[in-house]
Amino acid sequence: MKIVVCLKQVPETNDVTIDPVTHNLDRRGLAGVMNPFDKNAIELALNLKDSRDDVQVVLLTMGPDDYAESLREGMAMGADEGVLLSDRAFAGADTLATGYVLAQAVKKIGDADLILFGRQAVDADTGQVGPIVAEFLHQPQITYAANLRLSGANEVTAERLLEDTKQTLVAQLPAVVSVRSELNTPRYPTPRNIQLSFNKPLTTWHHDDLDLDDSRLGQAGSPTIVTKVYAPEPVKRALTPLTGTPNEAASQLITALKQRQLI
Amino acid sequence: MPATTAAAEKLLLQMVDDYTQREISPYDMSMDAAQDFPKGFVDKLTKTGFLGIMLPQEFGGAGFGPEVTATVLNHIARGNASTAVTLEGHFKTIDQILKYGTPALQQALLPTANDRIFAFSMTEASGGSNPMGISSTATREGDHWVINGDKIMITNGGLAQVYCVLVKTAPTELSVFVVDQDMPGFSFGKREDFIGLRGTPVGEIVMDHIVVDNDHLLGKLGDGGVIGDSAHDDARILMGAVLTGIMEHELKISTDYAKERKAGNTPLTELQVTHRKVADIAMRKETTKLLYQRAAQLKAAGQPYSEEAAMAKAHGSRAAVSAGDDALQILAGYGYSREYPVEHLIRDARAMEIAEGTVEKMRSAIAKAEFTK
């Protein structure tokens, strides 16, 4: 069984600037870390690998050369290999253009039974790339999985955790699944596995290594237009102190909660 | 340095910082009060592979060198010094088995050092800094050695499962043997109620007719003094690293507080009395860091490092106590309160003016080294 986990490297800091021309996040010169939600997808893949002998976990990302650091971290967690998609032609891609290149890379990797994503990246927060890859691959997709198991030789069952309900879905493999952080607690890479990860294969594929339609790539292949980015005004909240004896303060609290119909 | 080595070290420290922030720092205050590591704490540390950081890969470890190992303890001590000191006691013991153990002993023992804590024990009730004053013995009986004695104040005593013990093999001959808690005749004694580093167990072992074969001897008969000195040297580098971490913690508490607090209408950050203290803490921290890193570099390069290791510990321990005192004064009443960690950082640092050789002994060693130049 081959599992491909797609991941993204995101800025380590919240102190990012906006490119004045594209209105996109300007990631140049910022130290990066693996998107935290993607670690849940890797942990799921590694749990499946721990439970049976035939699982191969391949990590896939698209970005500049330093994105290899996140691949290496995932390999230190236990993934078998990493593939970095890096080319000037891919730069400036929105979720659609990114999803297209990732899908073409998944095809080249070949025979992937399960393609996993974190629920979203913490920098742009769209959660769109997983579903887009599923569409390009013409595969079933389950998003926001908080629980997942292989329920048959060729089948996966997942519980989706939605805002006010749960939904259980069964999909035929190959399938694309994005996972929620409630699914698991990602393992730490052990010091020994950090060392050994440098013996594992990490491959970089450039534009010419993939079968690509150039009109779908980079800025030109990205229909998303960011017209304005702004920080929301902070919401000012009134603070009402509870005063008097503990009994009086408790009465005030109960009254306040009742007024707001919270109890 | 090869690119992969630098990348591995970066990834390791990233993991260590993440682990320290999430799994160690939250328990810094509570383990001081409880005088123990929290339940499951050491198991998780073990499962995450911390015990094997400096153990060569051939024995199942990660094989990081002396400089990285010391830096790891520096980073851990920013969150909690007890955790770092427990690893220090383990690593210095592994180091002696690597230097002086027979291949057979290394093959038998070292793979287990990934899962079991090791300890080195010299001190007895009759003295710590005077090895010839010990009364524990190993007596040859046929093909075996029989060990009797009582060791106290062992870092990780009671927690560790494997112990290197300094014993007399003749009235004026010191040797080191390795014993295991599972051996018949081995038992634990009392745990010390120390004022600092309270997460780390420091305790006693009792050896009553423990029988070991010749492979459990480190080095040759009579090498005990040399091996003991070597264990001290290795520990002192790591203590310099731990002390640096304590001072980084003290500095952060001081600057965070000064940025928030005013004296009258004047922010503490604008007062010269604060400047003086913060600058002194920062300089003490940085000088200790340079000393331990220098000693670790010499060790990694295969050069003598005993004097530099002594400097790192002697300078660093007093520096961390003084830095803690300055930090306490910046926080004033809050610094004197148990609600803030400053007071326990001072107690933690104070231990290292005594452990692994007193600072007085360090100064003698440094002076003697200088006289020979």
Side-chain angles (χ1 to χ4, degrees), chain B residues 70-362:
Chain B
T71 306
V72 166
L73 295 199
N74 178 168
H75 284 222
I76 291 173
R78 292 170 180 171
N80 175 256
S82 290
T83 309
V85 165
T86 278
L87 290 172
E88 171 261 306
H90 176 68
F91 292 156
K92 79 170 176 191
T93 311
I94 292 176
D95 252 333
Q96 308 325 309
I97 297 170
L98 285 168
K99 287 180 191 174
Y100 299 104
T102 61
L105 183 70
Q106 291 179 355
Q107 286 297 339
L109 270 185
L110 291 180
T112 74
N114 291 292
D115 305 309
R116 302 198 297 172
I117 292 180
F118 286 31
F120 201 100
S121 61
M122 286 187 261
T123 304
E124 297 185 7
S126 54
S129 293
N130 172 29
M132 275 302 171
I134 66 169
S135 53
S136 293
T137 58
T139 311
R140 187 185 281 280
E141 289 186 9
D143 293 341
H144 297 87
W145 291 90
V146 178
I147 301 176
N148 285 288
D150 188 346
K151 292 284 177 187
I152 61 168
M153 296 193 186
I154 307 163
T155 301
N156 296 329
L159 175 68
Q161 291 163 280
V162 175
Y163 293 79
C164 289
V165 293
L166 183 75
V167 295
K168 280 186 173 170
T169 39
T172 58
E173 184 180 78
L174 295 170
S175 303
V176 175
F177 286 85
V178 183
V179 299
D180 193 303
Q181 68 161 18
D182 295 330
M183 290 176 171
F186 184 103
S187 61
F188 292 116
K190 77 157 189 169
R191 178 177 170 148
E192 299 294 338
D193 184 12
F194 281 157
I195 63 167
L197 296 172
R198 286 168 60 80
T200 303
V202 177
E204 175 186 19
I205 61 168
V206 179
M207 300 172 290
D208 181 12
H209 225 74
I210 295 179
V211 179
V212 296
D213 61 29
N214 214 41
D215 261 347
H216 284 69
L217 172 70
L218 288 191
K220 302 186 300 295
L221 289 174
D223 281 351
V226 172
I227 297 170
D229 287 347
S230 167
H232 278 321
D233 289 344
D234 292 325
R236 288 166 190 162
I237 297 175
L238 300 177
M239 279 200 167
V242 174
L243 289 158
T244 303
I246 289 176
M247 282 184 271
E248 285 166 344
H249 194 176
E250 291 166 340
L251 185 60
K252 183 168 192 321
I253 294 166
S254 303
T255 52
D256 284 353
Y257 184 82
K259 285 184 216 169
E260 297 278 325
R261 183 79 174 180
K262 288 182 178 176
N265 289 323
T266 311
L268 292 193
T269 51
E270 293 179 17
L271 295 175
Q272 277 195 348
V273 287
T274 313
H275 297 171
R276 165 78 188 251
K277 289 180 174 61
V278 167
D280 282 352
I281 298 170
M283 287 190 288
R284 292 183 189 110
K285 180 262 294 178
E286 208 58 29
T287 47
T288 305
K289 186 175 181 179
L290 290 169
L291 283 170
Y292 93 70
Q293 289 181 339
R294 171 74 181 144
Q297 282 165 8
L298 290 169
K299 179 178 173 180
Q303 294 174 24
Y305 55 93
S306 182
E307 185 183 3
E308 289 75 9
M311 287 180 180
K313 190 191 106 85
H315 173 78
S317 55
R318 178 39 49 176
V321 171
S322 301
D325 197 45
D326 277 340
L328 190 153
Q329 197 67 12
I330 290 171
L331 270 72
Y334 294 111
Y336 196 64
S337 165
R338 285 190 192 276
E339 283 188 32
Y340 282 74
V342 178
E343 60 85 24
H344 95 67
L345 295 179
I346 297 173
R347 289 187 277 112
D348 290 350
R350 190 65 180 82
M352 285 176 266
E353 290 194 287
I354 302 163
E356 302 294 352
T358 61
V359 287
E360 290 79 4
K361 205 177 169 189
M362 297 301 93

Side-chain angles (χ1 to χ4, degrees), chain A residues 12-203:
Chain A
E12 192 172 13
T13 170
N14 289 328
D15 192 19
V16 294
T17 55
I18 304 298
D19 185 311
V21 178
T22 65
H23 298 118
N24 287 324
L25 297 176
D26 187 353
R27 298 182 176 86
R28 286 171 297 186
L30 289 175
V33 293
M34 193 197 306
N35 176 43
F37 291 128
D38 298 342
K39 292 184 181 178
N40 297 107
I42 295 175
E43 181 63 31
L44 171 61
L46 296 178
N47 279 333
L48 293 169
K49 183 178 168 69
D50 290 343
S51 68
R52 42 194 283 175
D53 295 332
D54 64 339
V55 175
Q56 181 193 9
V57 179
V58 182
L59 305 180
L60 176 65
T61 192
M62 184 177 100
D65 289 347
D66 66 348
Y67 276 38
E69 290 178 14
S70 289
L71 291 176
R72 193 68 72 183
E73 183 181 356
M75 288 151 70
M77 287 172 72
D80 297 294
E81 61 181 288
V83 177
L84 171 66
L85 310 174
S86 189
D87 199 291
R88 287 301 307 161
F90 306 154
D94 66 1
T95 52
L96 186 68
T98 301
Y100 170 70
V101 178
L102 288 176
Q104 294 304 100
V106 171
K107 287 180 191 169
K108 174 158 178 161
I109 289 169
D111 302 324
D113 299 288
L114 197 54
I115 299 109
L116 299 177
F117 287 80
R119 76 172 198 197
Q120 66 203 58
V122 295
D123 56 353
D125 275 333
T126 69
Q128 294 173 355
V129 175
I132 289 170
V133 168
E135 291 303 313
F136 276 123
L137 294 174
H138 304 292
Q139 289 180 5
Q141 59 174 292
I142 301 174
T143 54
Y144 300 114
N147 206 323
L148 182 141
R149 64 189 169 86
L150 298 174
S151 47
N154 221 16
E155 179 187 280
V156 66
T157 300
E159 189 174 78
R160 300 181 78 209
L161 199 56
L162 304 174
E163 200 161 309
D164 53 3
T165 187
K166 288 179 182 173
Q167 184 181 43
T168 301
L169 294 181
V170 178
Q172 294 298 305
L173 297 179
V176 176
V177 178
S178 73
V179 303
R180 291 187 61 121
S181 53
E182 292 87 347
L183 179 72
N184 53 40
T185 302
R187 67 193 68 187
Y188 293 96
T190 65
R192 179 176 168 83
N193 282 344
I194 286 171
Q195 294 277 47
L196 298 182
S197 73
F198 287 86
N199 300 330
K200 294 179 178 178
L202 195 159
T203 314

